[in-house]
Amino acid sequence: MTPLIGRRSELTEISAIIATVPGRGRVVVIAGDPGIGKSALLAAAEEAAHAAGHLVLTVVGIESEAQLPFAGLHQMLRPVLRHVTGLQPAHQDALMSALGLGAGQPPELFLVALAALNLVAEASLGRPVAVVADDVQWLDPPSQEALAYMARRAAEYAIVVIGAIRTGHPSPFPATGSTVLELGGVDEVSAGEILRAHAGTLSQTARLRIQREAEGNPLALIELPAAWTQADAAAERLPTLSARLERAFAGRMADLPARTRDAVLVAATDPATDLGEILRAASVLSRTPASAQTLDPAVEAGLLRIDGGHVRFRHPLVRSGVVQGEGMLRRQAANAALAEVLTCEPYRRTWHKAQSIVGPDDQVADELEANVAIALSRGGVTSAIRDLQRSAELTTRSAARGHRLLMAAEHAFGLGRADLMSGLIAAAARTQLSELDWARLQWLREIFNDGVPGDARRVHELCRVARRSARAGDTDLALNLLVGAALRCWWADAGPVARAAVAAATTELAGQQGEPRYIAALAVAEPVLQCSEVLRGLAQFRADEVSDADALRLLGMAAHAVGDTVRCVDFLSRAETMLRAEGRLGLLSHVLSMLMADRLELGEWDEAVADEGERLAKETGQPIWRTGTLFCDALRHAFLGHADQALAYAAEVELIASRHQLNDMLSCVQRARGAALASMEDHRGSYRELRRLFDPADPSFHQRERYGAIMLLADAAAGSGQAADARQVIAGLEEVAARAPSPMLSIHLAYARAVLADDDHAPGAYAELMGLDLTRWPWARGRAWLAYGRWLARQGAFPASRQALSAAERTLDRIGARTWARQAGRELAALQAANGQVRDLGAGQR
């Protein structure tokens, strides 16, 4: 490998990793400050990989390119795209559509990443592959995700991925299995050696000052001597190291011929690296023909190199130094020149044209808005937002400007960018919005505020706005508003009149019965009275046949609301995968919260982990969804027998919920407390906490959330002598079940009937309970076996009791319900002991 002063250990480690790749793929992350030597290490790694016979693919992130979807992936795959015909048709279509080389449906990010991986495997022809990525932090987000996917699969495909990332930026690479090289400055001896080679005639004083200021940064040690001035020597405090390096590189531009300077500026402005494209644009900018020789003075000055028909800047700071060193008018002229030559690439042409002008231009604004569809078709939501923002800046008509800002705000919410969304909404509110866009603003404020409930007046107002939107012909907006109104009714009790208003406004929308938002609005607003209608609506859909992530989210929300728990998990599991692939973190937090609650209900506890959902809700500014995830974590700890932790989380949820009078969350708090006390076998305390959920006068009453506490209530009542009171509660719920055929409610009631039944009714109640299909409900199944085994033991049916209790112990232990599994184990031990006493007594009588 090429010698680098002061980097022997890093070179040795990278060389060894490249040598092992034929047997096992690896991921290397090089992290450090600008100029610290990341690019030099990558260049040495690339040289070593070529020497070892690897297929080498390179990509360099460019800050200005970060908004162009899949631009980085295109750059990386360009040398092997001729092999794309060897892919499966679906993979080929997805990849070509993402790269803008083919028409097709907006591709799923996962499919594009898989297609890219398969393309690399196809092109390598059995050779190891080295992917060398510089300035990963400036790659566009879809390309980062694709590269991260390739890194995760590196070991399977004999790929070494070596990526350099600037300190302070999040790494997209997997945390486990990666070798991380944190580059600091070189040691004093190496720094002195580097400086001596480049210091020229500088005085000893200047050399010492540069070595002290550089702090071991190799690029600074190389470049600062040539740019050192008397002013630098006299200054007490110098600019930041990055700024000085950029200034040093920009200073070299002044010595270049005018035509070369034009060509270098175009290269720095152009996210692409194609030499032909840069020279054509440079010809436009200079108004004289440019050739490869035009760039020779820049090559000789050490600013860039020409490699295989591509222009490569010596270091990312060279590019930024060139751009910063030129005035705004010059940068605009370079963008205009690029726009003129990109006739076959309308997306990029429009983007450069938009950067070339100051002040309003409705034609360019319209073209930028048209770019949004292209960006979204390639999975570039961030690009779509930026296009809409710039389009709004160039728009003269106030109403059109407001419309574009609201469109950008909607996409920002999907990405989980509450900060960006807030600014866009505020800017839109200052424009002269049309009636429909005023309604859209109300909806966006609603989702931005996380559905935080107020009084019933706000619910009625949203219903009125929805009706106005429907009359104006925007049914989509009407449905969005009604879902927002329904969520207000869910989080806090807005009263039966408000709930009925949402349901009435929803059912007035003719022909929308198969729309997921229609079903969700009815379910969330009226989970009892509209349960049958919602279940009919949900029955129209199969999770594996729905390809829209938001539709899956809404269907899962509806299923969760009415207690169709299995359907909820099926819909939301698929929605989770798709939203993850699309990077829509704002909605992903909703899905993770609901999914965790329903996985806990079923007994899929290994997959019900709160960390990510809570973090995403916090990062995306959605406090209620964060609180919901925190409740799920409390309930999970209660079920696992960690009572102290469960009670601590429940107290935190209660503090937040009480502040906003969120009776949904307060209901959840009581359920978590009841479960925690049940895990401690404190039946009296458990019953006291759970009973509040079923009292309409209590702040924690919620017509749907109480379903999940029925089994716990029955157990606590049976263990604390409160069976008679609990039977009255169950009788009231039987009336609810007559109107609402909720699967969750049906299972819980069947359990409660059996556990609370008197001697005359117990056989029939247990027969009904054990006849239910609980295949997807291991938590309910394990508890049903436990209750049944206990009852059989009391009846003296010991063999049948042992079978039931053994089944209960296995099922509960498998899902992690250790407390309840131990109860089954104790019952089994008691049976065995009693059986032994009977045998001993019989032997004595004989």
Side-chain angles (χ1 to χ4, degrees), residues 659-670:
R659 191 179 305 141
H660 299 291
Q661 298 181 332
L662 304 176
N663 67 300
D664 171 78
M665 288 291 104
L666 290 171
S667 180
C668 293
V669 165
Q670 294 307 120

Side-chain angles (χ1 to χ4, degrees), residues 289-430:
S291 66
Q293 287 70 40
T294 305
L295 287 167
D296 283 349
V299 174
E300 292 168 7
L303 294 175
L304 52 80
R305 73 181 193 275
I306 298 173
D307 180 13
H310 294 276
V311 177
R312 313 284 189 191
F313 281 95
R314 176 185 164 195
H315 191 276
L317 289 176
V318 178
R319 180 189 292 273
S320 57
V322 168
V323 172
Q324 295 301 322
E326 297 283 2
M328 184 177 70
L329 292 177
R330 288 268 294 157
R331 294 197 297 269
Q332 289 174 332
N335 275 295
L338 283 162
E340 188 170 328
V341 302
L342 291 170
T343 54
C344 296
E345 295 191 54
Y347 184 92
R348 293 180 59 213
R349 179 176 181 272
T350 300
W351 186 82
H352 282 292
K353 191 188 293 187
Q355 308 310 309
S356 72
I357 58 178
V358 174
D361 187 316
D362 285 318
Q363 181 179 344
V364 177
D366 291 344
E367 291 176 9
L368 264 179
E369 185 177 352
N371 260 11
V372 171
I374 300 173
L376 293 175
S377 72
R378 299 183 192 175
V381 182
T382 303
S383 305
I385 294 170
R386 291 180 180 173
D387 286 343
L388 286 165
Q389 284 182 284
R390 183 61 176 150
S391 176
E393 291 170 1
L394 299 175
T395 302
T396 59
R397 303 178 308 281
S398 180
R401 186 163 61 253
H403 177 74
R404 286 163 176 166
L405 289 168
L406 291 175
M407 289 172 62
E410 185 175 345
H411 291 305
F413 174 75
L415 284 181
R417 290 291 308 278
D419 54 338
L420 177 59
M421 182 182 177
S422 178
L424 291 166
I425 288 174
R430 294 191 291 269

Side-chain angles (χ1 to χ4, degrees), residues 312-601:
R312 313 284 189 191
F313 281 95
R314 176 185 164 195
H315 191 276
L317 289 176
V318 178
R319 180 189 292 273
S320 57
V322 168
V323 172
Q324 295 301 322
E326 297 283 2
M328 184 177 70
L329 292 177
R330 288 268 294 157
R331 294 197 297 269
Q332 289 174 332
N335 275 295
L338 283 162
E340 188 170 328
V341 302
L342 291 170
T343 54
C344 296
E345 295 191 54
Y347 184 92
R348 293 180 59 213
R349 179 176 181 272
T350 300
W351 186 82
H352 282 292
K353 191 188 293 187
Q355 308 310 309
S356 72
I357 58 178
V358 174
D361 187 316
D362 285 318
Q363 181 179 344
V364 177
D366 291 344
E367 291 176 9
L368 264 179
E369 185 177 352
N371 260 11
V372 171
I374 300 173
L376 293 175
S377 72
R378 299 183 192 175
V381 182
T382 303
S383 305
I385 294 170
R386 291 180 180 173
D387 286 343
L388 286 165
Q389 284 182 284
R390 183 61 176 150
S391 176
E393 291 170 1
L394 299 175
T395 302
T396 59
R397 303 178 308 281
S398 180
R401 186 163 61 253
H403 177 74
R404 286 163 176 166
L405 289 168
L406 291 175
M407 289 172 62
E410 185 175 345
H411 291 305
F413 174 75
L415 284 181
R417 290 291 308 278
D419 54 338
L420 177 59
M421 182 182 177
S422 178
L424 291 166
I425 288 174
R430 294 191 291 269
T431 65
Q432 298 173 354
L433 294 172
S434 67
E435 183 178 6
L436 278 178
D437 279 331
W438 177 83
R440 183 169 285 106
L441 178 67
Q442 302 307 307
W443 167 60
L444 288 169
R445 279 178 169 163
E446 198 67 21
I447 59 173
F448 174 67
N449 286 315
D450 201 13
V452 175
D455 57 29
R457 287 175 297 179
R458 179 59 175 163
V459 174
H460 288 292
E461 181 184 358
L462 289 169
C463 291
R464 285 194 297 272
V465 176
R467 286 190 170 98
R468 285 165 56 186
S469 301
R471 285 195 296 270
D474 198 334
T475 306
D476 282 346
L477 179 55
L479 286 166
N480 286 336
L481 287 160
L482 290 169
V483 171
L487 279 169
R488 282 181 172 264
C489 296
W490 177 273
W491 293 123
D493 187 7
V497 176
R499 294 198 301 269
V502 177
T506 303
T507 54
E508 287 171 15
L509 299 174
Q512 299 299 312
Q513 288 81 356
E515 228 289 342
R517 284 168 297 181
Y518 178 98
I519 299 168
L522 287 181
V524 174
E526 289 280 26
V528 173
L529 297 180
Q530 294 290 335
C531 181
S532 296
E533 179 69 18
V534 170
L535 290 173
R536 282 193 292 271
L538 292 172
Q540 303 173 67
F541 298 93
R542 283 174 49 93
D544 56 358
E545 294 175 354
V546 180
S547 58
D548 180 75
D550 207 36
L552 287 161
R553 176 186 68 90
L554 289 158
L555 292 168
M557 180 187 291
H560 172 81
V562 297
D564 193 350
T565 312
V566 171
R567 268 206 183 100
C568 174
V569 169
D570 290 344
F571 284 133
L572 295 182
S573 297
R574 183 162 163 78
E576 177 192 0
T577 300
M578 296 173 72
L579 288 170
R580 234 182 249 291
E582 295 167 11
R584 299 168 69 187
L585 304 183
L587 296 178
L588 180 59
S589 66
H590 298 190
V591 165
L592 292 176
S593 180
M594 292 185 290
L595 191 52
M596 183 177 181
D598 282 49
R599 280 177 168 159
L600 285 172
E601 177 64 34

